[in-house]
């Protein structure tokens, strides 16, 4: 049976920065018949829950992986290392579980695909990928955004 990596917060794990989850009935329906592998890169990378919200500054997740952008929380603390570590652990998990696809949380600085928050903590969006989404894509895993959230 086909396995798919899914942002853990979409599957009932209260791992978001605010200590909550973000379920999606549309996502659950779309995953029927597949083996779901829940994973939270920010938790895996060593960040606590709850935690301060963080956003990408100076570029998207690809730029973070290239060393030209960073991830900063709303108190100004640089959490780039934790985000990059979590991304690599997500890749390890996807590979070990045989996932060719990942369905991730939209807009997140880790999990976002195609659009992410713009780094101002004002709710604005810019084109780009989160750090984990970028790393998975670079290693041939198809990343899509979850529906219904
Ligand atoms: Fe959800 Fe991804 Fe954020 Fe973890 S890092 S809380 S899985 S969006």
């Amino acid at each position: 049976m086909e396995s798919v990596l899914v942002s853990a917060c979409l599957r009932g794990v209260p791992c978001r920065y605010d200590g909550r989850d973000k379920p999606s009935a549309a996502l659950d329906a779309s995953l029927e018949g597949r083996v779901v592998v829940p994973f939270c890169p920010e938790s895996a990378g060593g960040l606590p829950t709850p935690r301060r919200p963080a956003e990408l500054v100076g570029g998207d997740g690809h730029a973070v992986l290239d060393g030209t952008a960073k991830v900063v929380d709303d108190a100004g603390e640089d959490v780039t290392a934790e985000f990059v570590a979590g991304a690599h652990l997500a890749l390890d998990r996807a590979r070990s579980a045989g996932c060719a696809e990942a369905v991730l949380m939209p807009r997140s600085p880790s999990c976002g695909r195609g659009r992410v928050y713009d780094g101002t903590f004002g709710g604005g969006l810019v084109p780009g990928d989160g750090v984990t989404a970028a790393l998975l894509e670079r290693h041939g895993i198809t990343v899509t955004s979850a529906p219904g959230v």
Side-chain angles (χ1 to χ4, degrees):
M1 194 180 291
E2 182 185 349
S3 297
V4 55
L5 192 82
V6 179
S7 297
C9 60
L10 295 166
R11 294 290 286 186
V13 180
C15 54
R16 298 184 76 213
Y17 74 94
D18 57 4
R20 303 175 70 173
D21 66 345
K22 189 83 170 177
S24 165
L27 172 67
D28 292 346
S30 74
L31 293 172
E32 280 186 18
R34 294 198 275 178
V35 176
V36 173
V37 180
F39 196 87
C40 176
E42 291 174 26
S43 298
L47 293 170
T49 301
R51 55 188 171 276
R52 303 194 77 100
E55 296 196 2
L56 296 154
V57 175
D60 77 343
H62 290 280
V64 169
L65 295 173
D66 292 338
T68 59
K70 55 188 179 180
V71 190
V72 179
D73 73 19
D74 68 349
E77 184 174 346
D78 188 331
V79 287
T80 306
E82 289 87 345
F83 273 64
V84 172
H88 282 279
L89 290 166
L91 177 61
D92 291 347
R93 185 73 185 101
R95 284 174 161 168
S96 68
C99 301
E101 184 183 353
V103 183
L104 303 182
M105 176 70 193
R107 304 177 294 278
S108 156
S110 287
C111 293
R113 172 74 175 94
R115 289 194 311 166
V116 288
Y117 290 116
D118 65 5
T120 66
F121 297 94
L125 297 169
V126 291
D129 297 326
V131 181
T132 291
L135 188 69
L136 295 177
E137 289 164 9
R138 286 183 174 195
H139 289 84
I141 295 171
T142 301
V143 179
T144 57
S145 280
V149 287

